[in-house]
Amino acid sequence: MLSDCGFVDIEIGPACDTFGGARGEPNARTFEVFGYPFLARKPG
Protein backbone atom coordinates (compact mmCIF):
# COMPACT_ATOMS: atom_id res chain seq x y z
CA MET A 1 0.00 0.00 0.00
CA LEU A 2 2.79 2.42 0.83
CA SER A 3 4.63 1.68 -2.39
CA ASP A 4 1.38 2.15 -4.33
CA CYS A 5 1.30 5.69 -2.89
CA GLY A 6 4.81 6.42 -4.17
CA PHE A 7 6.86 5.72 -1.04
CA VAL A 8 10.27 4.06 -1.27
CA ASP A 9 12.83 2.71 1.21
CA ILE A 10 10.01 1.26 3.31
CA GLU A 11 10.96 -0.29 6.64
CA ILE A 12 8.42 -1.94 8.95
CA GLY A 13 9.24 -2.45 12.62
CA PRO A 14 8.11 -5.06 15.11
CA ALA A 15 4.53 -5.40 16.33
CA CYS A 16 3.58 -3.01 19.15
CA ASP A 17 0.77 -3.25 21.69
CA THR A 18 -1.16 -0.07 20.99
CA PHE A 19 -4.36 -1.06 22.79
CA GLY A 20 -3.07 -1.75 26.32
CA GLY A 21 -5.49 -0.13 28.79
CA ALA A 22 -7.90 0.99 26.06
CA ARG A 23 -11.61 0.21 26.13
CA GLY A 24 -11.24 -2.01 23.04
CA GLU A 25 -8.32 -4.00 24.45
CA PRO A 26 -10.28 -7.29 24.78
CA ASN A 27 -11.28 -7.13 21.10
CA ALA A 28 -7.73 -6.32 20.07
CA ARG A 29 -6.51 -9.39 21.97
CA THR A 30 -9.21 -11.60 20.47
CA PHE A 31 -8.35 -10.60 16.91
CA GLU A 32 -4.59 -10.18 17.52
CA VAL A 33 -4.57 -6.53 16.42
CA PHE A 34 -1.23 -4.73 16.75
CA GLY A 35 0.29 -1.49 15.55
CA TYR A 36 3.45 -1.47 13.44
CA PRO A 37 5.88 1.44 13.23
CA PHE A 38 7.10 2.22 9.75
CA LEU A 39 9.55 4.51 8.10
CA ALA A 40 9.28 5.44 4.44
CA ARG A 41 10.46 8.17 2.11
CA LYS A 42 8.58 9.85 -0.70
CA PRO A 43 11.07 10.95 -3.37
CA GLY A 44 10.98 14.38 -4.87
Side-chain angles (χ1 to χ4, degrees):
M1 185 165 120
L2 290 172
S3 59
D4 290 343
C5 294
F7 288 96
V8 297
D9 300 331
I10 301 166
E11 295 182 32
I12 301 173
C16 299
D17 178 10
T18 57
F19 291 95
R23 189 171 57 172
E25 182 178 4
N27 289 333
R29 299 283 173 262
T30 299
F31 295 103
E32 299 180 5
V33 176
F34 296 98
Y36 292 86
F38 64 89
L39 179 65
R41 179 176 65 83
K42 194 157 189 179

